[in-house]
Amino acid sequence: MKKFLLSAIFISLAALSFIGCDKKSDSTVKTQGTDSRHTIKVGYVQVGHESAWRNANTLSFKSTFTADSGYEFLFVDADGSQKVQFDAIRNFIAQNVDYIVLAPVVETGWDDILKEVREAGIPVILSDRQIKVSDESLYLCWVGADFLQEGKNAVKWLTAYLENKNLGTEEINIVHLQGTMGASAQVGRTQGLMDGIASYPNWNLAAQKSGNFTTEGGKKAMQEIIKSVGINKINVLYSENDDMTLGAIEAIKEAGKVPGDDIIIISFDAVYKAFMKIITGEINCECECNPLHGPRVGEIIRTLESGKPVEKIQYVNESVFDHTNAQAVMLTRRY
Ligand code: GZL
C-alpha cells in the first residue's frame, strides 16, 4: 500500500510540474512569439527521446521557450542521429534563427558544421553533453553536468558503503553498463569508475557493456553479462543511467536475485521512477544529473540579448541520494 501511495504522490507531482507542456516529440515544433519586434528565434537540436531524463530535459526547454515569453521555438528531436543533427542545424541556418542550442549526441565530428554556423553569424549554445573541437570559439558557451564528478561521487559513495558493511577489503566484482558510446556522459562516468577500480586492488571489473542509455538496452546487456559472469559472482552494478538500470533490475530479478540487496545498485540521473526505487530499496545510490537546462539556457539568451557576456562553462548543481536522504526530498523532486 505504501509503495502505491508513494507512486501516486510522485506521479501527480511530476504531472503538476509539467502541466501545459507539449508532450509530443515532434520533429519540428514551431511557436510564433506574441510581439514580433522582440521575438527571439531559437533553433534547438535535441539528442532524441531515449530516456526519462531526456524527456524531462525536452519538457524543460519547451516550457521555457514559449511564445508568451517572446520566443519562436524550432525543435528537432534527432532520435540519436548526429546526421539528423547536422541537417537540423543547416535548416536553422536557412531559417536565420537568432540562436542555435545543441545537445550533441556524441563528442566528436562537430568542427565542419559549426564552421558553417559561424559563417552564418549565429551563436551556438551547447546544452547537456560536451564536444571536442579544434577551436573552442566555435561555440559560445556550454551548460550541463560534470560527468566525471558524477562518476567520482559514485565511487566515493561505494567506498563508504562497503566500509560501513565491513566489506572494504573484500573482493568486489563490479559489472558496468555504459551509455551511448562516445557521449560525454558515458565518457565521464566511465572514467570515474575506471579511476576508482585503479585505486582499489580488491575492486574487479567483471564485465562492461553498453546499453545505449535505454531500458531495453540495459536489460539485454545485463542478461548477457549474467550469462557470461554468473549471477552469483556479481556484487555491484554501476549503470550509467536510470533507464538502463530499470532494465537491468528486471534481468536481475529474472535471475532470482534481489536488486539492492544481493547486488548493490548504483545508477545515474535520479529521475523519479528510479528515485522511488531508493525508497523501496531496489536501488542503493542515485547520482543526480539535473535535466532542467531550459531555464538556464533562457537566462543565458536573455543575458546575451542585454549585451552582457556569459560564462563559457556553466555546471548545473547535483546531489547524491541513498536511503539516508532520499525520503526527505522525495516530495520536492521535479523530474
Ligand atoms: C546526461 C545525459 C544522459 C542521461 C541519459 O546529461 O546526456 O543522456 O544520463 C540521457 O539518461 O539519455
PDB file of all heavy atoms in Angstrom, residues 188-209:
ATOM      1  N   GLY A 188      32.610  10.493 -19.190  1.00  0.00           N
ATOM      2  CA  GLY A 188      32.952  10.968 -17.835  1.00  0.00           C
ATOM      3  C   GLY A 188      32.613   9.965 -16.751  1.00  0.00           C
ATOM      4  O   GLY A 188      33.419   9.716 -15.844  1.00  0.00           O
ATOM      5  N   ARG A 189      31.412   9.343 -16.863  1.00  0.00           N
ATOM      6  CA  ARG A 189      31.015   8.390 -15.813  1.00  0.00           C
ATOM      7  C   ARG A 189      31.901   7.135 -15.861  1.00  0.00           C
ATOM      8  O   ARG A 189      32.241   6.565 -14.831  1.00  0.00           O
ATOM      9  CB  ARG A 189      29.526   8.037 -15.986  1.00  0.00           C
ATOM     10  CG  ARG A 189      28.626   9.218 -15.670  1.00  0.00           C
ATOM     11  CD  ARG A 189      27.184   9.025 -16.096  1.00  0.00           C
ATOM     12  NE  ARG A 189      26.425  10.256 -15.905  1.00  0.00           N
ATOM     13  CZ  ARG A 189      25.226  10.496 -16.440  1.00  0.00           C
ATOM     14  NH1 ARG A 189      24.629   9.571 -17.176  1.00  0.00           N
ATOM     15  NH2 ARG A 189      24.604  11.644 -16.239  1.00  0.00           N
ATOM     16  N   THR A 190      32.272   6.728 -17.088  1.00  0.00           N
ATOM     17  CA  THR A 190      33.179   5.581 -17.224  1.00  0.00           C
ATOM     18  C   THR A 190      34.542   5.900 -16.609  1.00  0.00           C
ATOM     19  O   THR A 190      35.104   5.102 -15.851  1.00  0.00           O
ATOM     20  CB  THR A 190      33.329   5.200 -18.704  1.00  0.00           C
ATOM     21  OG1 THR A 190      32.081   4.662 -19.192  1.00  0.00           O
ATOM     22  CG2 THR A 190      34.428   4.165 -18.906  1.00  0.00           C
ATOM     23  N   GLN A 191      35.060   7.084 -16.897  1.00  0.00           N
ATOM     24  CA  GLN A 191      36.368   7.476 -16.342  1.00  0.00           C
ATOM     25  C   GLN A 191      36.340   7.467 -14.815  1.00  0.00           C
ATOM     26  O   GLN A 191      37.264   6.988 -14.160  1.00  0.00           O
ATOM     27  CB  GLN A 191      36.753   8.882 -16.847  1.00  0.00           C
ATOM     28  CG  GLN A 191      38.212   9.270 -16.527  1.00  0.00           C
ATOM     29  CD  GLN A 191      39.206   8.308 -17.138  1.00  0.00           C
ATOM     30  OE1 GLN A 191      39.133   8.042 -18.338  1.00  0.00           O
ATOM     31  NE2 GLN A 191      40.095   7.739 -16.322  1.00  0.00           N
ATOM     32  N   GLY A 192      35.232   7.939 -14.261  1.00  0.00           N
ATOM     33  CA  GLY A 192      35.116   7.957 -12.795  1.00  0.00           C
ATOM     34  C   GLY A 192      35.224   6.565 -12.214  1.00  0.00           C
ATOM     35  O   GLY A 192      35.946   6.331 -11.232  1.00  0.00           O
ATOM     36  N   LEU A 193      34.543   5.597 -12.854  1.00  0.00           N
ATOM     37  CA  LEU A 193      34.610   4.217 -12.353  1.00  0.00           C
ATOM     38  C   LEU A 193      36.000   3.618 -12.570  1.00  0.00           C
ATOM     39  O   LEU A 193      36.571   2.976 -11.679  1.00  0.00           O
ATOM     40  CB  LEU A 193      33.563   3.337 -13.052  1.00  0.00           C
ATOM     41  CG  LEU A 193      33.618   1.852 -12.671  1.00  0.00           C
ATOM     42  CD1 LEU A 193      33.345   1.648 -11.173  1.00  0.00           C
ATOM     43  CD2 LEU A 193      32.628   1.040 -13.515  1.00  0.00           C
ATOM     44  N   MET A 194      36.560   3.837 -13.762  1.00  0.00           N
ATOM     45  CA  MET A 194      37.881   3.265 -14.061  1.00  0.00           C
ATOM     46  C   MET A 194      38.942   3.777 -13.079  1.00  0.00           C
ATOM     47  O   MET A 194      39.788   3.017 -12.600  1.00  0.00           O
ATOM     48  CB  MET A 194      38.297   3.598 -15.509  1.00  0.00           C
ATOM     49  CG  MET A 194      37.440   2.952 -16.574  1.00  0.00           C
ATOM     50  SD  MET A 194      37.398   1.152 -16.411  1.00  0.00           S
ATOM     51  CE  MET A 194      35.708   0.906 -15.949  1.00  0.00           C
ATOM     52  N   ASP A 195      38.868   5.066 -12.755  1.00  0.00           N
ATOM     53  CA  ASP A 195      39.814   5.627 -11.781  1.00  0.00           C
ATOM     54  C   ASP A 195      39.619   4.945 -10.419  1.00  0.00           C
ATOM     55  O   ASP A 195      40.580   4.634  -9.709  1.00  0.00           O
ATOM     56  CB  ASP A 195      39.614   7.148 -11.632  1.00  0.00           C
ATOM     57  CG  ASP A 195      39.997   7.920 -12.894  1.00  0.00           C
ATOM     58  OD1 ASP A 195      40.635   7.292 -13.783  1.00  0.00           O
ATOM     59  OD2 ASP A 195      39.626   9.096 -13.014  1.00  0.00           O
ATOM     60  N   GLY A 196      38.358   4.694 -10.058  1.00  0.00           N
ATOM     61  CA  GLY A 196      38.077   4.031  -8.780  1.00  0.00           C
ATOM     62  C   GLY A 196      38.640   2.622  -8.745  1.00  0.00           C
ATOM     63  O   GLY A 196      39.303   2.216  -7.786  1.00  0.00           O
ATOM     64  N   ILE A 197      38.398   1.862  -9.818  1.00  0.00           N
ATOM     65  CA  ILE A 197      38.888   0.473  -9.883  1.00  0.00           C
ATOM     66  C   ILE A 197      40.414   0.457  -9.830  1.00  0.00           C
ATOM     67  O   ILE A 197      41.031  -0.395  -9.174  1.00  0.00           O
ATOM     68  CB  ILE A 197      38.340  -0.224 -11.142  1.00  0.00           C
ATOM     69  CG1 ILE A 197      36.830  -0.481 -10.975  1.00  0.00           C
ATOM     70  CG2 ILE A 197      39.092  -1.517 -11.438  1.00  0.00           C
ATOM     71  CD1 ILE A 197      36.135  -1.032 -12.206  1.00  0.00           C
ATOM     72  N   ALA A 198      41.037   1.464 -10.477  1.00  0.00           N
ATOM     73  CA  ALA A 198      42.514   1.532 -10.477  1.00  0.00           C
ATOM     74  C   ALA A 198      43.053   1.803  -9.069  1.00  0.00           C
ATOM     75  O   ALA A 198      44.160   1.389  -8.734  1.00  0.00           O
ATOM     76  CB  ALA A 198      42.968   2.629 -11.428  1.00  0.00           C
ATOM     77  N   SER A 199      42.236   2.450  -8.216  1.00  0.00           N
ATOM     78  CA  SER A 199      42.773   2.784  -6.893  1.00  0.00           C
ATOM     79  C   SER A 199      42.413   1.761  -5.815  1.00  0.00           C
ATOM     80  O   SER A 199      42.895   1.861  -4.686  1.00  0.00           O
ATOM     81  CB  SER A 199      42.306   4.181  -6.470  1.00  0.00           C
ATOM     82  OG  SER A 199      40.917   4.261  -6.587  1.00  0.00           O
ATOM     83  N   TYR A 200      41.565   0.786  -6.149  1.00  0.00           N
ATOM     84  CA  TYR A 200      41.202  -0.244  -5.154  1.00  0.00           C
ATOM     85  C   TYR A 200      41.540  -1.633  -5.711  1.00  0.00           C
ATOM     86  O   TYR A 200      40.802  -2.165  -6.534  1.00  0.00           O
ATOM     87  CB  TYR A 200      39.713  -0.171  -4.809  1.00  0.00           C
ATOM     88  CG  TYR A 200      39.325   1.077  -4.045  1.00  0.00           C
ATOM     89  CD1 TYR A 200      38.617   2.103  -4.668  1.00  0.00           C
ATOM     90  CD2 TYR A 200      39.699   1.258  -2.710  1.00  0.00           C
ATOM     91  CE1 TYR A 200      38.276   3.250  -3.980  1.00  0.00           C
ATOM     92  CE2 TYR A 200      39.352   2.407  -2.011  1.00  0.00           C
ATOM     93  CZ  TYR A 200      38.642   3.408  -2.653  1.00  0.00           C
ATOM     94  OH  TYR A 200      38.318   4.547  -1.965  1.00  0.00           O
ATOM     95  N   PRO A 201      42.635  -2.250  -5.279  1.00  0.00           N
ATOM     96  CA  PRO A 201      43.060  -3.560  -5.818  1.00  0.00           C
ATOM     97  C   PRO A 201      42.001  -4.647  -5.632  1.00  0.00           C
ATOM     98  O   PRO A 201      41.942  -5.595  -6.408  1.00  0.00           O
ATOM     99  CB  PRO A 201      44.311  -3.894  -5.007  1.00  0.00           C
ATOM    100  CG  PRO A 201      44.744  -2.633  -4.336  1.00  0.00           C
ATOM    101  CD  PRO A 201      43.560  -1.738  -4.235  1.00  0.00           C
ATOM    102  N   ASN A 202      41.117  -4.503  -4.629  1.00  0.00           N
ATOM    103  CA  ASN A 202      40.104  -5.545  -4.409  1.00  0.00           C
ATOM    104  C   ASN A 202      38.828  -5.318  -5.219  1.00  0.00           C
ATOM    105  O   ASN A 202      37.879  -6.091  -5.124  1.00  0.00           O
ATOM    106  CB  ASN A 202      39.746  -5.627  -2.911  1.00  0.00           C
ATOM    107  CG  ASN A 202      39.240  -4.301  -2.368  1.00  0.00           C
ATOM    108  OD1 ASN A 202      39.817  -3.250  -2.651  1.00  0.00           O
ATOM    109  ND2 ASN A 202      38.138  -4.328  -1.622  1.00  0.00           N
ATOM    110  N   TRP A 203      38.813  -4.220  -6.030  1.00  0.00           N
ATOM    111  CA  TRP A 203      37.653  -3.992  -6.920  1.00  0.00           C
ATOM    112  C   TRP A 203      37.996  -4.563  -8.286  1.00  0.00           C
ATOM    113  O   TRP A 203      39.042  -4.240  -8.869  1.00  0.00           O
ATOM    114  CB  TRP A 203      37.365  -2.501  -7.070  1.00  0.00           C
ATOM    115  CG  TRP A 203      36.765  -1.826  -5.873  1.00  0.00           C
ATOM    116  CD1 TRP A 203      36.731  -2.295  -4.598  1.00  0.00           C
ATOM    117  CD2 TRP A 203      36.127  -0.556  -5.860  1.00  0.00           C
ATOM    118  NE1 TRP A 203      36.126  -1.382  -3.776  1.00  0.00           N
ATOM    119  CE2 TRP A 203      35.733  -0.300  -4.528  1.00  0.00           C
ATOM    120  CE3 TRP A 203      35.853   0.426  -6.830  1.00  0.00           C
ATOM    121  CZ2 TRP A 203      35.075   0.866  -4.147  1.00  0.00           C
ATOM    122  CZ3 TRP A 203      35.195   1.594  -6.467  1.00  0.00           C
ATOM    123  CH2 TRP A 203      34.809   1.807  -5.133  1.00  0.00           C
ATOM    124  N   ASN A 204      37.120  -5.459  -8.794  1.00  0.00           N
ATOM    125  CA  ASN A 204      37.361  -6.083 -10.110  1.00  0.00           C
ATOM    126  C   ASN A 204      36.264  -5.677 -11.096  1.00  0.00           C
ATOM    127  O   ASN A 204      35.080  -5.738 -10.750  1.00  0.00           O
ATOM    128  CB  ASN A 204      37.342  -7.617  -9.969  1.00  0.00           C
ATOM    129  CG  ASN A 204      38.226  -8.085  -8.835  1.00  0.00           C
ATOM    130  OD1 ASN A 204      39.397  -7.702  -8.783  1.00  0.00           O
ATOM    131  ND2 ASN A 204      37.650  -8.825  -7.872  1.00  0.00           N
ATOM    132  N   LEU A 205      36.659  -5.316 -12.326  1.00  0.00           N
ATOM    133  CA  LEU A 205      35.681  -5.055 -13.390  1.00  0.00           C
ATOM    134  C   LEU A 205      35.326  -6.402 -14.018  1.00  0.00           C
ATOM    135  O   LEU A 205      36.090  -6.955 -14.800  1.00  0.00           O
ATOM    136  CB  LEU A 205      36.266  -4.107 -14.444  1.00  0.00           C
ATOM    137  CG  LEU A 205      35.326  -3.770 -15.611  1.00  0.00           C
ATOM    138  CD1 LEU A 205      34.079  -3.029 -15.114  1.00  0.00           C
ATOM    139  CD2 LEU A 205      36.059  -2.938 -16.664  1.00  0.00           C
ATOM    140  N   ALA A 206      34.161  -6.929 -13.608  1.00  0.00           N
ATOM    141  CA  ALA A 206      33.782  -8.286 -14.057  1.00  0.00           C
ATOM    142  C   ALA A 206      33.249  -8.283 -15.490  1.00  0.00           C
ATOM    143  O   ALA A 206      33.404  -9.258 -16.224  1.00  0.00           O
ATOM    144  CB  ALA A 206      32.724  -8.845 -13.113  1.00  0.00           C
ATOM    145  N   ALA A 207      32.590  -7.162 -15.873  1.00  0.00           N
ATOM    146  CA  ALA A 207      32.051  -7.096 -17.251  1.00  0.00           C
ATOM    147  C   ALA A 207      31.695  -5.644 -17.565  1.00  0.00           C
ATOM    148  O   ALA A 207      31.425  -4.849 -16.652  1.00  0.00           O
ATOM    149  CB  ALA A 207      30.794  -7.955 -17.389  1.00  0.00           C
ATOM    150  N   GLN A 208      31.732  -5.298 -18.849  1.00  0.00           N
ATOM    151  CA  GLN A 208      31.435  -3.916 -19.269  1.00  0.00           C
ATOM    152  C   GLN A 208      30.719  -3.982 -20.623  1.00  0.00           C
ATOM    153  O   GLN A 208      31.240  -4.555 -21.571  1.00  0.00           O
ATOM    154  CB  GLN A 208      32.759  -3.154 -19.426  1.00  0.00           C
ATOM    155  CG  GLN A 208      32.669  -1.678 -19.646  1.00  0.00           C
ATOM    156  CD  GLN A 208      34.076  -1.077 -19.674  1.00  0.00           C
ATOM    157  OE1 GLN A 208      34.896  -1.466 -20.527  1.00  0.00           O
ATOM    158  NE2 GLN A 208      34.356  -0.164 -18.753  1.00  0.00           N
ATOM    159  N   LYS A 209      29.499  -3.438 -20.690  1.00  0.00           N
ATOM    160  CA  LYS A 209      28.724  -3.470 -21.939  1.00  0.00           C
ATOM    161  C   LYS A 209      27.924  -2.178 -22.049  1.00  0.00           C
ATOM    162  O   LYS A 209      27.509  -1.623 -21.019  1.00  0.00           O
ATOM    163  CB  LYS A 209      27.727  -4.630 -21.916  1.00  0.00           C
ATOM    164  CG  LYS A 209      28.241  -5.928 -22.506  1.00  0.00           C
ATOM    165  CD  LYS A 209      27.137  -6.980 -22.573  1.00  0.00           C
ATOM    166  CE  LYS A 209      27.692  -8.282 -23.111  1.00  0.00           C
ATOM    167  NZ  LYS A 209      28.346  -8.148 -24.429  1.00  0.00           N
TER     168      LYS A 209
END
